[in-house]
Every structure is written in structure tokens, then in C-alpha cells.
Amino acid sequence: MAHELRRAGVAAEQDTADRSFKAQMKNAGASGARWACILGPEELAKGCAAVRDLEEGSQTEVPLAQVPDYIQNHE
């Protein structure tokens, strides 16, 4: 997903550290990121990403192919 976002011109980082979900979300917020894309087993089984707006605290399921457009259209 990070590669697809970058290819669409969206700055993206991928957390590969072995940390809890809570720690990952805290790190994303502290980095100044506006969005977090959550790709857990449930999301992948549905072919979606949970896209969390870190400023508003809202979260939306978005089909994987539409994530870059969703983020670009909601900035």
C-alpha cells in the first residue's frame, strides 16, 4: 500500500517494527501524519483498508484500489 500511495504522489511510511497497534497509531499521530491506513487480516479478507483520519478520529473502509484517490480527495 505504501508503494501505491507514493506512486500516486502521497507521502507514505510503513511501520515494520514489532509494536502493538496502539503504539503504531500513537507513532503515526506523533509523526504529523493526517491519515493512517490499517491493513489487518479482516481488512485484507474484504479487499479494503481502514483509512483513519488522525485529525478527526474518524475511520472509513475503502477498497484497496481506491485508497490513494480517497486520501487525495479528502485532504
Side-chain angles (χ1 to χ4, degrees):
M1 178 56 57
H3 175 72
E4 295 299 320
L5 289 166
R6 289 184 200 115
R7 203 165 66 164
V10 177
E13 291 183 23
Q14 182 174 341
D15 191 332
T16 58
D18 189 23
R19 296 188 273 192
S20 69
F21 179 74
K22 183 177 179 178
Q24 290 178 37
M25 289 296 104
K26 186 176 179 179
N27 185 57
S31 76
R34 167 80 191 267
W35 303 97
C37 293
I38 302 160
L39 298 168
E42 292 178 23
E43 289 81 14
L44 293 174
K46 293 190 258 183
C48 296
V51 179
R52 182 174 291 178
D53 183 328
L54 298 173
E55 290 181 5
E56 296 180 11
S58 61
Q59 183 170 306
T60 305
E61 279 195 358
V62 180
L64 291 173
Q66 296 175 15
V67 171
D69 288 335
Y70 180 87
I71 290 173
Q72 288 175 323
N73 292 327
H74 287 87
E75 289 194 280

